[in-house]
Amino acid sequence: MTRERRRECRVAASTKGLQMRVPEDFNEATTLCDFIAYAYRDNRVRCVPMRDLHQLSQRNRVENGASCLANTIRRTNTLHSFHLHSVVEEPEFTDVIQNVTVPAGRSVRLACSVKNLGSYKVAWMHFEQSAILTVHNHVITRNPRVSVTHDKHRTWFLHISDVREEDRGRYMCQINTVTAKTQFGYLHVVVPPSIDDSLSSSDVIVREGANVTLMCRANGSPKPTIKWKRDDNSKISISKGHSVSEWEGEVLDMARISRLDMGAYLCIASNGVPPTVSKRVKVSVDFPPMLWIPHQLVGAPLYYNVTLECFTEAHPTSLNYWTRDDGHMIHESPKYHMENTVGVPPYKTHMKLLIRHIVTEDYGTYKCVAKNPRGESDGTIRLYTSSPPTTTPDPRAVTVPPPSRPPRRDTPVTDKGTKYQSNLNEIDKGKQKSDEGGGKTHLNWVGGASQVTDNAARRRSHPMKLLVVFVSIYINVFI
């Protein structure tokens, strides 16, 4: 076979998608130039005459091509001396690679669909990392989370398990033709927010009146937004006269903080990918103790019990105790009982001192004392003696009993009547005084004991005076 004839044969074959390599010692190539290889299937080459190719159905093409090739091989009897490689159509993609969004920690599958692959191979690459992941059935990367499968060589699947944020990016599916064919799909990895403790504020302690800055940094994809709220839902004091229910931003600045601003603050990070996370930052405001005494003078009768009270505010929590005026500390005993009740907010404390069965020696001055690392404060209460509480009978309840016998007719009535009227006027005057006083006893209870605060005690002898007046009237009328 001449060189020129071989070149003509190759040109004729290439117009139909053939790639032929014909040995120089094969003289029957002229016959093969009249045929075209149709496809590879199960390692068997099938061909049909070129002149009849357009007249045959798909099935007849395969059957006729196989018969044609068999006859040619039988005539030449030199199958071992030539090689025929053919692809009717170049491999191509049949569908685009879908972009996928997946939360971190899940598994994902990217699909690359091809046809007419023949002996070509499909490879997967991570474009941003310039890393070859798989080639055909083989995994090239050392990443154990990556694997590859296929559906009868038509669809090639790239599997990534336990997806991480660094897996984000473009993935390229490539067919290794002479001029490589490629297409891309994008893997978007969403990551729930997480707060970076190393870059965020922890619990803080400041002096009252100082400025405070809290910071909160969070990672995630998309980038999280940060909001600040108080744990008890009270308002955040940004500055004097400026308070808000919540504050948005990584940095929270508060000017001239006070004890009212003490408490827990929540940094809340969210980016639309559940779950939302938060960090609790406790703000402690230190200040020296302050005392408030509701009653600095307390009266109580002998042998009564009395309770003395003090209210304190301090942070850190103060050491609270009671002393006498000589500085002697009072301890728990059958005589004294001390009680400290934490209030709301917790920097408030209610101090109580119960003194049982008061005797003369118990009267005098008492001190409530509060100490903490920021300072010390004390207050005094004076306990004095008072009369025991009493209840005065209502003078209007006194009635005059009827006479036991009628008056004597020979007795002058005018003088007696004058005296009688005079005595009745005295009764009316006493009654009016009682009415003006309301006939009631006003008691001011201080520290658990009662103290008489009006003239009710001075009227305790009034019933006796009424009795004397009544006897006088009775004598004047009936004697």
Side-chain angles (χ1 to χ4, degrees):
M1 183 177 184
T2 65
R3 180 178 303 175
E4 181 180 356
R5 184 57 181 159
R6 285 200 303 272
R7 182 176 61 79
E8 292 175 357
C9 183
R10 291 194 185 96
V11 171
S14 64
T15 60
K16 298 298 180 179
L18 288 173
Q19 296 178 358
M20 300 184 62
R21 184 168 71 252
V22 183
E24 292 188 5
D25 58 351
F26 181 59
N27 296 322
E28 299 296 332
T30 302
T31 305
L32 289 177
C33 283
D34 294 332
F35 298 90
I36 179 171
Y38 179 69
Y40 278 99
R41 188 180 298 274
D42 300 330
N43 296 324
R44 290 177 295 172
V45 178
R46 299 175 175 88
C47 65
V48 295
M50 287 196 320
R51 61 180 179 275
D52 299 328
L53 185 61
H54 64 282
Q55 300 175 355
L56 300 177
S57 65
Q58 173 76 12
R59 180 176 178 181
N60 289 335
R61 289 179 186 179
V62 174
E63 293 176 351
N64 189 53
S67 176
C68 168
L69 183 60
N71 293 334
T72 302
I73 293 173
R74 187 161 47 261
R75 287 200 310 271
T76 60
N77 197 25
T78 55
L79 181 61
H80 63 281
S81 47
F82 79 97
H83 303 278
L84 178 63
H85 303 280
S86 65
V87 176
V88 175
E89 297 182 67
E90 286 273 331
E92 60 185 41
F93 299 108
T94 60
D95 199 1
V96 298
I97 302 175
Q98 298 295 326
N99 296 332
V100 180
T101 299
V102 62
R106 302 285 183 85
S107 297
V108 68
R109 185 180 73 172
L110 301 176
C112 179
S113 299
V114 299
K115 69 177 182 178
N116 304 325
L117 185 61
S119 60
Y120 293 101
K121 293 178 173 56
V122 172
W124 280 100
M125 282 162 276
H126 192 177
F127 189 77
E128 275 75 17
Q129 297 179 1
S130 300
I132 299 176
L133 304 178
T134 67
V135 174
H136 206 57
N137 293 319
H138 306 289
V139 177
I140 306 302
T141 179
R142 294 184 179 181
N143 188 343
R145 299 182 293 111
V146 175
S147 60
V148 64
T149 59
H150 61 84
D151 177 16
K152 296 182 179 179
H153 293 244
R154 291 192 298 270
T155 304
W156 294 80
F157 299 103
L158 177 68
H159 302 268
I160 306 174
S161 61
D162 187 22
V163 174
R164 300 174 185 174
E165 192 171 1
E166 59 265 25
D167 297 327
R168 178 192 298 112
R170 287 181 294 173
Y171 285 79
M172 182 172 66
C173 176
Q174 184 179 85
I175 303 174
N176 65 334
T177 52
V178 176
T179 301
K181 295 184 177 183
T182 61
Q183 67 172 351
F184 294 88
Y186 193 87
L187 176 63
H188 183 59
V189 181
V190 293
V191 182
S194 61
I195 295 176
D196 190 342
D197 288 331
S198 64
L199 299 177
S200 303
S201 298
S202 55
D203 294 348
V204 295
I205 301 175
V206 296
R207 295 290 295 267
E208 191 169 34
N211 298 333
V212 177
T213 298
L214 302 181
M215 299 200 55
C216 184
R217 298 287 174 83
N219 300 317
S221 180
K223 183 176 176 59
T225 58
I226 304 294
K227 288 185 179 180
W228 291 92
K229 294 182 68 175
R230 293 192 66 169
D231 196 19
D232 58 0
N233 290 323
S234 57
K235 289 193 173 183
I236 300 174
S237 178
I238 302 299
S239 60
K240 185 177 181 181
H242 182 201
S243 298
V244 295
S245 298
E246 62 180 36
W247 181 263
E248 185 169 337
E250 293 183 343
V251 180
L252 173 63
D253 287 319
M254 294 180 287
R256 297 188 60 80
I257 197 167
S258 75
R259 67 194 67 182
L260 299 177
D261 302 316
M262 189 185 317
Y265 290 74
L266 295 177
C267 156
I268 304 171
S270 61
N271 65 350
V273 183
T276 297
V277 295
S278 64
K279 177 181 174 67
R280 191 172 185 266
V281 180
K282 185 178 179 181
V283 177
S284 300
V285 180
D286 284 0
F287 56 92
M290 298 178 63
L291 286 174
W292 175 64
I293 301 174
H295 305 289
Q296 289 185 296
L297 295 175
V298 178
L302 283 170
Y303 313 122
Y304 274 63
N305 298 340
V306 67
T307 299
L308 309 182
E309 294 179 295
C310 280
F311 292 88
T312 71
E313 292 185 11
H315 194 272
T317 304
S318 57
L319 173 65
N320 305 318
Y321 59 94
W322 295 85
T323 68
R324 290 301 304 267
D325 48 2
D326 58 358
H328 179 71
M329 186 181 293
I330 298 175
H331 300 282
E332 188 76 21
S333 67
K335 182 71 175 179
Y336 300 108
H337 172 68
M338 288 164 288
E339 181 180 341
N340 293 331
T341 304
V342 177
V344 177
Y347 58 76
K348 293 185 176 182
T349 303
H350 186 187
M351 298 174 60
K352 292 181 181 180
L353 173 64
L354 172 64
I355 306 173
R356 300 184 180 97
H357 194 70
I358 297 174
V359 295
T360 304
E361 293 78 7
D362 295 326
Y363 293 111
T365 301
Y366 291 80
K367 276 189 177 182
C368 53
V369 183
K371 291 182 179 181
N372 77 353
R374 299 301 183 188
E376 175 180 351
S377 183
D378 61 58
T380 59
I381 300 175
R382 190 172 70 84
L383 179 63
Y384 65 92
T385 183
S386 66
S387 301
T390 59
T391 303
T392 304
D394 190 343
R396 289 173 293 184
V398 178
T399 59
V400 179
S404 60
R405 58 179 179 172
R408 293 170 55 182
R409 294 186 181 274
D410 56 351
T411 304
V413 178
T414 304
D415 294 338
K416 299 291 189 290
T418 304
K419 293 180 179 179
Y420 180 76
Q421 185 67 35
S422 174
N423 290 331
L424 286 178
N425 289 337
E426 290 180 6
I427 295 175
D428 289 338
K429 290 179 182 178
K431 185 176 180 182
Q432 289 174 1
K433 290 180 180 180
S434 298
D435 289 341
E436 291 173 359
K440 298 180 182 178
T441 301
H442 300 282
L443 302 179
N444 182 21
W445 289 89
V446 180
S450 63
Q451 176 185 359
V452 179
T453 59
D454 63 1
N455 60 354
R458 292 192 295 274
R459 295 201 302 267
R460 286 197 300 271
S461 60
H462 190 65
M464 185 60 68
K465 291 181 181 179
L466 292 176
L467 181 59
V468 172
V469 172
F470 172 75
V471 173
S472 174
I473 294 173
Y474 188 84
I475 293 172
N476 288 334
V477 173
F478 295 102
I479 297 179

